[in-house]
Amino acid sequence: MKKIEVFDPAMCCSSGVCGPSVDPLLSRFSADLDWLSGRRVRVTRYNLSQEPKAFAANALVSVVLKKEGPKSLPIIVADGNIVSKKKYPSRSQLAAWAGVTLAGSKPMVSAASCCSPKKTPKGRVVKGCC
């Protein structure tokens, strides 16, 4: 079984849907990880603010953090090798690293959510539900 590990920067949650505004990139990435784990890929995600020991326990991640600092996050590790730093990869990149076929897949969430600000027909911007 392939293994993908995500070492996230310090944040309150990894979904991207908390706080006053939604981060569509994090929402998309979270959906992509769910999609990947549904294809027999073991996906583990670590948050620096909640699981700092996981960052120290991984020798490769620890070296990158000491050398480049937290700006190197997120770090993506596939089967023990760092495959990405400083950005959240696309679904196609995740699929390639995990050896999963991408054909026929569709994003599970849209870039906007119910929490995103919306423009009324009169042009007024109103806050979302969160």
Side-chain angles (χ1 to χ4, degrees):
M1 177 182 268
K2 294 285 186 174
K3 181 179 177 183
I4 299 287
E5 294 173 285
V6 180
F7 295 84
D8 282 309
M11 55 186 162
C12 63
C13 74
S14 58
S15 67
V17 294
C18 59
S21 62
V22 175
D23 185 337
L25 176 64
L26 279 176
S27 296
R28 190 258 321 146
F29 184 68
S30 184
D32 289 347
L33 291 178
D34 288 343
W35 172 83
L36 199 60
S37 64
R39 276 143 184 86
R40 302 184 50 121
V41 176
R42 194 166 86 196
V43 177
T44 308
R45 201 164 180 184
Y46 304 103
N47 183 329
L48 182 59
S49 64
Q50 298 167 356
E51 299 155 300
K53 288 182 182 177
F55 290 72
N58 185 305
L60 294 173
V61 171
S62 181
V63 166
V64 170
L65 279 174
K66 286 177 185 168
K67 189 175 180 179
E68 300 178 30
K71 68 181 181 205
S72 62
L73 299 172
I75 296 173
I76 313 300
V77 177
D79 289 333
N81 300 305
I82 293 176
V83 292
S84 176
K85 297 186 299 186
K86 301 180 182 179
K87 65 177 186 171
Y88 287 101
S90 66
R91 179 177 287 197
S92 62
Q93 289 173 308
L94 290 168
W97 297 327
V100 174
T101 302
L102 186 61
S105 73
K106 295 180 180 176
M108 295 171 66
V109 295
S110 66
S113 77
C114 62
C115 301
S116 299
K118 294 177 176 56
K119 203 170 194 175
T120 67
K122 292 183 178 181
R124 192 174 137 231
V125 176
V126 294
K127 290 183 179 179
C129 61
C130 300

